[in-house]
Amino acid sequence: MNKNLLLAPGPTPVPPEALLRMAQPMIHHRTPQFSQTLAETAAMLQELYQTTQPVLMIAGSGTAGMESVVANLIGAGDKALVVRGGKFGERWGEIVEAHGGIAVNLDVEWGQAVDPKAVAARLDEDPDIACVFVQACETSTATEHPIEALAAVVRERDNVLLCVDGITGVGCFPLPMDEWGIDALVCGSQKALQLPPGLATVALSERAWKRAETVQRTGTYYLDLLKERKAQAEQRTTAWTAPVSLIHGLNEVLKRTLDEGLAQTYARQECLARATRAGLEAIGLRLYSSAPSRSVTAAWVPEGVDGAKLVKYLRDEMGVTLAGGQAKLKGKIIRIGHMGYVGPFDIISGLSAVEIALDRLGHDVEFGRGPAAAIAIVREQWPSAA
Ligand SMILES: Cc1ncc(COP(=O)(O)O)c(C=O)c1O
């Protein structure tokens, strides 16, 4: 039997404190006790998102959060500029079209960040575009898009909104919603929120709420954010049966995160990203992204090694779960998640396992180089707990 190490870009490990909290006996969701937890959690989410707007909790995976944004901001025939630099960018476009919108695609080479000037040019060309959809981190390519710069471009235009999939961004690196002027920000529980899958969080800016109030929606019942805002922000309850255990877990994780402080959390996350990148490069793997993310790292599998076999060997023989490539990157890259409840020694161990697995699959490996490079980064850069 292997001891398992979860280094996927979601789901991520759940801290024992959150597991214990979620294991408490069930309480009813229409009770003062649950209302209290919901209100407390909502207030902490506002601190995490750095917004004065309500952050709504929705039972559903991250995609439900994405769809709630589209369903409430895009009407039939509305145009949306979709930054497509990977699988999740494509998903925005598919959701827009499922809701009767017109996706104007801005294709970006996989592994590269979008150029804000290209976004500005497309918005100038087409004044009918109502929303820009983008990922903070395109998880399929482990690439960060420059959200602050994009927000500056979009903010100059009164009639355009910036909608950010922050599913592998929120809690990993700064995305201060109000300060930067992000109009919609989505997160999912199984990433930096350190919980099991099944809970999405969504916030809209004042501008976005105005649009949500007037847009000719094509229709959603469950994902009606106006109804959800009324329930959660005004009545301290949820529109539908709340995912009670997940919200208790979120309450626990957010308390721990805010106790630590966002700056410290981001500094830890950044150090883990640097250690992972340095470790993979020292093993001789080339990083895939030219704008590597602080939440997940992707690297090319060396020539002659089957990436799918590498991931399978690591999982089945070594108990180490990381991710392979998606779509056209299947078998070609590996992706290591380092967001949430992941520590430096998880990364160092994971790199050792990658070395052993590569060796077993016939690749020439000088043992210890990857972990040593990661150790050097951790030794120099791990933020003091002070
Ligand atoms: C950037 C990004 N967007 C969207 C999703 C989809 O979220 P879910 O699988 O929770 O629906 C993911 C999940 O990996 C993601 O990483």
Side-chain angles (χ1 to χ4, degrees), residues 9-10 61-64 66 88 91 135 137-139 165 167-168 188 190-191:
S61 78
T63 306
M66 294 170 76
F88 295 108
R91 186 167 302 180
Q135 270 61 41
C137 165
E138 172 51 78
T139 318
D165 164 358
I167 290 174
T168 49
Q190 79 276 27
K191 311 283 185 174

Side-chain angles (χ1 to χ4, degrees), residues 29-294:
H29 59 292
R30 309 285 182 209
T31 54
Q33 291 90 328
F34 184 67
S35 278
Q36 165 75 25
T37 303
L38 187 75
E40 198 180 290
T41 310
M44 290 192 287
L45 277 172
Q46 285 179 306
E47 282 189 58
L48 179 70
Y49 271 56
Q50 293 177 259
T51 184
T52 56
Q53 294 297 324
V55 184
L56 306 176
M57 289 161 260
I58 295 172
S61 78
T63 306
M66 294 170 76
E67 184 154 12
S68 74
V69 171
V70 174
N72 287 270
L73 297 182
I74 293 289
D78 286 346
K79 276 193 189 168
L81 183 64
V82 176
V83 175
R84 291 203 312 178
K87 280 303 288 172
F88 295 108
E90 288 172 8
R91 186 167 302 180
W92 269 137
E94 288 159 10
I95 300 172
V96 164
E97 295 198 329
H99 284 270
I102 299 168
V104 177
N105 296 320
L106 176 55
D107 286 330
V108 179
E109 198 173 319
W110 284 32
Q112 290 192 10
V114 68
D115 180 354
K117 286 200 211 83
V119 170
R122 290 302 277 271
L123 293 176
D124 289 341
E125 254 168 50
D126 197 340
D128 289 342
I129 290 172
C131 297
V132 177
F133 289 94
V134 67
Q135 270 61 41
C137 165
E138 172 51 78
T139 318
S140 62
T141 65
T143 300
E144 272 183 43
H145 289 304
I147 299 303
E148 186 175 11
L150 291 172
V153 163
V154 172
R155 235 186 6 241
E156 284 171 3
R157 293 153 173 89
D158 289 341
N159 52 344
V160 189
L161 301 176
L162 179 66
C163 304
V164 177
D165 164 358
I167 290 174
T168 49
V170 173
C172 306
F173 48 84
L175 289 167
M177 189 171 167
D178 291 358
E179 188 190 326
W180 287 1
I182 297 169
D183 294 297
L185 185 59
V186 181
C187 189
S189 54
Q190 79 276 27
K191 311 283 185 174
L193 297 183
Q194 307 166 34
L195 295 171
L199 181 72
T201 55
V202 182
L204 299 187
S205 67
E206 209 177 313
R207 293 193 320 154
W209 281 117
K210 283 211 179 90
R211 183 173 169 86
E213 282 157 12
T214 55
V215 81
Q216 294 294 312
R217 297 196 234 155
T218 52
T220 177
Y221 185 80
Y222 187 79
L223 297 174
D224 182 343
L225 292 180
L226 293 169
K227 197 176 275 177
E228 206 59 71
R229 177 176 63 170
K230 186 158 191 244
Q232 294 190 28
E234 292 175 25
Q235 299 162 344
R236 290 168 38 127
T237 188
T238 48
W240 323 118
T241 303
V244 172
S245 305
L246 282 169
I247 290 173
H248 276 106
L250 182 58
N251 185 281
E252 190 67 37
V253 168
L254 289 174
K255 269 190 188 142
R256 287 158 48 86
T257 302
L258 297 174
D259 265 1
E260 181 185 28
L262 292 180
Q264 178 79 3
T265 301
Y266 299 147
R268 261 194 311 99
Q269 298 282 326
E270 182 147 5
C271 182
L272 291 176
R274 290 201 185 136
T276 309
R277 287 176 211 148
L280 289 170
E281 286 186 308
I283 297 173
L285 307 190
R286 204 158 42 88
L287 297 186
Y288 178 74
S289 175
S290 60
S293 168
R294 284 164 282 183

